[in-house]
Amino acid sequence: MQFIRRSLQVLVLLLIFLVPLLHLYGVERYARESFSYSLAAQRIETRGWIQQKAILLMDRLFQDYEGTEGVISSVTGSPWSLNILGYRISDPLAAVSMSIAGSGFFWPFITSILFFTFLSLLLGRVFCGWICPYHFLAEMNNKLRNLFSYLGIRPHNLHLKRRNKYIVLAILLIFSIIAGTSLFTHIYPPLVVSRELFYYIFYGSVGFGTFFIIFLLFTELTVSQRWWCRYMCPGGALYSLLGSVRLVRMVRDEDRCTFCGECDKACPFGLLPMSDTMGMECDNCGLCRAACPEDALSYRFMPLWKERSMINERKRTLKRTGTNG
Amino acid sequence: MKGKGPSRERVQTDRRGFIKKMGGITLSIAGGSLLGSIFLRYLGRVNAQDLAELSPYAYYVSGPLRPPGAVEEDLFLKRCIQCFLCAEVCPPKAIRFVRSGMGLKANTPYIFPRERACILCMKCTQVCPTQALMPLKEDDIYEGKKKVDMGTAEIDKRLCITHLGIGKCEACYTICPLKERAIVQEAMLRPRVIPEGCVGCGLCEEICPVRAKAIRVRLPGVKKEREVLPPGVLYF
Ligand code: SF4
Ligand code: SF4
Ligand code: SF4
C-alpha cells in the first residue's frame, strides 16, 4: 500500500512537472511556424537547460506523429484545477474561496470539485496523504529530520493547537470577502508548488512562493515537525471538515493491540491511533498500519456515530477495569 | 511532553513567542491587504499604460491588460482562481503573471503587448474553468468591442513615422487582423484607429518599429459585463 501511495505521489509530481514542459513544446511548435521576429528571438534565447533538453526529447518523441496537438491539449493544469481528456477536476478550496469572494456559484466549476469532495466524504483528508505535492516534499523533509535525530541532533518540536487551521481557514475566508479576491491562492502549498514549477519552466524565474515553500520546509525541519499540515493549512482544514462525516476510517482492533505505541510514533500528523484519536484529521497515509507489529489497525467501513459509540464503550471499559481492554 | 522542569518552561515561552509571532504575521497580512485594497481602488482610476513607463508596480496594481474575454476588473479578481491554465495553452506565450508581492493582483494573468501580443486564438477563453475569461470563438472578433474588449489602440501622432511624414510605414495596418474594421488608412497612408472595431489585441503595438511605440493599447474606460454570457447563465 505504501508503494501505491508513493507511486501516486510521484505521479502527481511528474504531472505538475511534465505538463508545463509539454505546453512549452506547444509554444515552441507555434514559434517555429510563425514568422514573428520577436517569437523567433524568444525561441533561441530564453530557455534554460532543462527546457532545452525537454524540447529536444519531445522533438524526437513526436517525430512523424500526426496528433501532437491533440496530445498537448489533452492535459492542462495542476491538481488545483486539472483539465484531463475533457474532464475537469478541481480543488474544493478553489470553489469555496472563489464563491465566497463574491463571484457567485458557477455550476460547471462546482461540479468539477465533486470528485475530491466525494473522496473526502468517504476517506477524509485523502487528498493530503495521497495527492498533495507539498505533502510529499514534507515527508521527505521529515525523513531528513529523523536522520538528524538519529545522528543526535535534536530539532525543536513545538506543538500548537490543531484548531489553528480552522481559524486560519475562517480568517482567510473573511478577508477574502473583504478583499474581493481569493487569498488562499497565495499560500496554499499544493497550488504554490505547482505554480512555481510552472513559472520556472515557462518564464525561467520563480516568485515569492518558492521562498514560502523553502521557509515552510526549513521550519518544519528545525522548529516544529510538520507544523503547516498539522496546525495551519486551510486546505487541510477544509478537507478535515468534509472528512468529519467520513465513512471509511482507520480502526484499532482492541484484542490485538498490545499498546506498544509504535503507531503513535509513526503518524506524521501527530495523531494518536493507540488512543483512538484519529477521526477527521487522519490523511490515510497508512503509516501507522505499516508500523503496527500486530496488524491491529485496518481500514473499516464505520460511520461517525458507530465510531463515537465504540470509543465511548472503550472509555467506559477503561474506567471500570482500570486497564485497557 | 517529557522533559524536565526548566526545558518545559523554555518550550512554553517558545511556544508563546511563536504564537505571538504568528499572530503578528497574520495581523500584518490582514492589515496590509485591507490598506492595499483601498490603495488599489484609488489607483484603479489612473490609466495603466501611462503608468507602465513610470513603474511596473503601478502598472500591475492599476489594472493591467487582461486576456480576451476577461470580465470587468473587480469581477475578474473575484473569479480568477490563479490556476495558470490560460497561460499554459497560449501559443505565443502572450500571457504573463503579475509578480508576487504586487498586492491582491499577484499571480493573475495579464498581457504586455509591446513584448508579446495576443493573436486572438481564443484558446485561453475556452480553457478557463471559472469564466473569468468568458468563452469566445475565433470569429467573435469581427463583432468588435461588443464581444472582445481587451482595450483600444491609440496612435500617438507625435511619434508615428507616417503621421510625421518621415516615411511610409504600414506595419500596424499590415499586421492588424481586423483591417478596415479596426484600423483604416487615410491620405498619405496615415493610419487611424476605429475604436468600436478595435479589440485591443496589441499586435500593432508589438510590431511598431518606433521604440517608444507610436501605437499603444489602452484600457477601455468602462468595461461592462458584456453580452457574451452563454444562454442560460451558469452563475447564480
Ligand atoms: S494539509 Fe495542506 S499542505 Fe498538508 S498535505 Fe494537506 S493540503 Fe497539502
Ligand atoms: S486568445 Fe490566444 S493568443 Fe490571445 S491571450 Fe488567449 S491564448 Fe493567448
Ligand atoms: S484560466 Fe481563468 S481562472 Fe485560471 S488563471 Fe487564467 S483567467 Fe484565472
Side-chain angles (χ1 to χ4, degrees):
Chain A
M1 205 165 87
Q2 285 307 308
F3 177 72
I4 304 176
R5 190 170 76 95
R6 283 276 180 262
S7 346
L8 192 64
Q9 283 178 328
V10 172
L11 210 70
V12 171
L13 261 190
L14 272 181
L15 177 101
I16 62 177
F17 183 67
L18 290 183
V19 168
L21 280 177
L22 197 64
H23 283 278
L24 190 72
Y25 183 59
V27 173
E28 173 80 9
R29 280 167 58 92
Y30 174 79
R32 279 178 197 166
E33 285 160 20
S34 93
F35 296 102
S36 157
Y37 63 90
S38 58
L39 272 175
Q42 152 89 26
R43 223 183 84 201
I44 303 153
E45 284 163 17
T46 60
R47 297 251 196 270
W49 184 85
I50 299 176
Q51 290 93 323
Q52 279 177 5
K53 286 283 171 288
I55 285 172
L56 288 180
L57 186 72
M58 275 185 274
D59 257 345
R60 214 179 294 160
L61 275 181
F62 288 123
Q63 217 176 19
D64 316 319
Y65 182 61
E66 297 293 304
T68 315
E69 295 296 323
V71 173
I72 291 175
S73 60
S74 67
V75 47
T76 331
S78 65
W80 178 249
S81 180
L82 188 69
N83 207 342
I84 187 160
L85 302 172
Y87 294 98
R88 284 184 200 280
I89 301 174
S90 316
D91 200 300
L93 190 61
V96 169
S97 62
M98 169 192 131
S99 310
I100 213 156
S103 73
F105 295 103
F106 180 50
W107 290 109
F109 191 57
I110 303 273
T111 51
S112 76
I113 70 168
L114 286 183
F115 178 69
F116 280 151
T117 309
F118 280 131
L119 222 53
S120 310
L121 290 179
L122 195 66
L123 282 159
R125 288 173 80 167
V126 68
F127 175 90
C128 294
W130 290 62
I131 293 165
C132 178
Y134 176 73
H135 189 279
F136 182 64
L137 296 181
E139 272 187 305
M140 294 301 129
N141 198 34
N142 207 21
K143 289 221 155 94
L144 199 64
R145 192 187 158 94
N146 289 344
L147 184 72
F148 278 156
S149 326
Y150 180 72
L151 293 178
I153 311 164
R154 254 285 171 72
H156 272 278
N157 197 359
L158 269 184
H159 290 274
L160 308 176
K161 284 269 186 323
R162 262 174 208 291
R163 62 158 188 271
N164 280 9
K165 58 176 167 298
Y166 305 103
I167 299 173
V168 170
L169 179 68
I171 289 180
L172 282 180
L173 280 177
I174 291 168
F175 278 104
S176 294
I177 301 175
I178 296 172
T181 175
S182 163
L183 296 177
F184 297 97
T185 48
H186 304 285
I187 58 155
Y188 185 45
L191 170 63
V192 172
V193 169
S194 36
R195 189 170 56 207
E196 295 300 320
L197 256 176
F198 166 77
Y199 281 179
Y200 175 68
I201 288 167
F202 251 58
Y203 307 109
S205 61
V206 289
F208 164 74
T210 306
F211 295 102
F212 179 62
I213 294 294
I214 290 174
F215 167 75
L216 287 189
L217 289 177
F218 183 71
T219 45
E220 291 197 343
L221 193 63
T222 52
V223 182
S224 170
Q225 191 183 13
R226 298 297 302 277
W227 66 275
W228 178 262
C229 298
R230 287 182 187 180
Y231 317 120
M232 284 293 170
C233 182
L238 185 65
Y239 280 119
S240 299
L241 289 179
L242 287 174
S244 61
V245 292
R246 60 191 289 188
L247 293 172
V248 178
R249 56 185 85 229
M250 192 64 91
V251 179
R252 184 174 58 95
D253 187 345
E254 273 223 306
D255 302 333
R256 288 190 170 187
C257 177
T258 55
F259 301 96
C260 63
E262 286 299 322
C263 46
D264 288 3
K265 271 185 237 152
C267 182
F269 274 11
L271 304 170
L272 304 171
M274 199 178 81
S275 10
D276 295 315
T277 51
M278 295 152 308
M280 60 206 243
E281 304 245 342
C282 163
D283 70 336
N284 298 303
C285 65
L287 287 174
C288 55
R289 185 165 167 264
C292 183
E294 305 288 334
D295 279 342
L297 290 155
S298 57
Y299 289 108
R300 299 255 184 84
F301 179 83
M302 187 176 276
L304 188 61
W305 61 88
K306 269 198 178 170
E307 196 213 18
R308 284 281 153 76
S309 62
M310 183 190 78
I311 291 178
N312 285 340
E313 178 65 30
R314 284 183 183 177
K315 269 192 197 141
R316 244 175 282 134
T317 342
L318 184 67
K319 226 181 247 165
R320 211 175 42 234
T321 58
T323 54
N324 282 300
Chain B
M1 203 161 292
K2 27 182 176 124
K4 285 158 212 102
S7 75
R8 187 187 296 162
E9 246 166 46
R10 217 183 89 215
V11 167
Q12 267 179 357
T13 44
D14 265 12
R15 187 192 302 172
R16 206 166 296 147
F18 186 67
I19 292 176
K20 259 187 201 161
K21 245 179 250 163
M22 290 318 291
I25 292 172
T26 321
L27 273 183
S28 44
I29 289 175
S33 53
L34 204 64
L35 283 179
S37 60
I38 297 167
F39 183 59
L40 296 181
R41 289 282 149 76
Y42 168 70
L43 263 182
R45 307 214 184 100
V46 188
N47 191 316
Q49 301 283 316
D50 287 340
L51 291 168
E53 279 127 53
L54 287 177
S55 107
Y57 178 75
Y59 173 68
Y60 290 140
V61 295
S62 59
L65 223 62
R66 299 294 186 191
V71 291
E72 161 270 328
E73 184 71 19
D74 269 4
L75 194 59
F76 181 84
L77 285 177
K78 284 174 184 156
R79 287 190 182 178
C80 176
I81 55 164
Q82 307 170 10
C83 63
F84 62 78
L85 288 187
C86 47
E88 241 175 26
V89 297
C90 181
K93 221 164 87 172
I95 298 184
R96 308 138 177 263
F97 286 92
V98 176
R99 258 180 260 152
S100 10
M102 292 291 170
L104 298 176
K105 297 194 182 183
N107 303 316
T108 51
Y110 76 99
I111 290 176
F112 197 54
R114 68 186 53 184
E115 279 175 23
R116 187 64 38 78
C118 163
I119 56 164
L120 298 169
C121 67
M122 301 306 171
K123 280 188 181 157
C124 55
T125 67
Q126 287 149 13
V127 83
C128 180
T130 61
Q131 292 198 347
L133 312 173
M134 289 293 194
L136 294 167
K137 286 188 291 301
E138 277 185 60
D139 304 341
D140 284 343
I141 54 168
Y142 299 112
E143 312 224 357
K145 276 267 182 309
K146 254 189 278 164
K147 292 238 166 168
V148 190
D149 185 8
M150 298 163 73
T152 313
E154 266 177 30
I155 293 173
D156 191 338
K157 290 182 182 159
R158 297 163 303 172
L159 292 175
C160 174
I161 296 174
T162 323
H163 272 278
L164 283 175
I166 303 170
K168 287 205 177 68
C169 161
E170 289 184 85
C172 52
Y173 181 78
T174 318
I175 196 114
C176 183
L178 291 166
K179 282 187 213 49
E180 302 304 328
R181 278 195 172 82
I183 194 163
V184 289
Q185 283 181 324
E186 296 187 324
M188 311 286 289
L189 300 179
R190 283 177 189 150
R192 183 167 68 83
V193 175
I194 305 171
E196 298 79 45
C198 174
V199 297
C201 67
L203 283 167
C204 45
E205 184 174 338
E206 186 189 4
I207 200 124
C208 180
V210 181
R211 188 133 182 266
K213 303 296 171 188
I215 187 162
R216 297 174 202 162
V217 180
R218 288 171 189 275
L219 283 184
V222 190
K223 244 191 194 177
K224 296 172 266 16
E225 174 120 29
R226 285 179 312 280
E227 42 201 276
V228 286
L229 275 170
V233 188
L234 294 160
Y235 264 102
F236 286 84

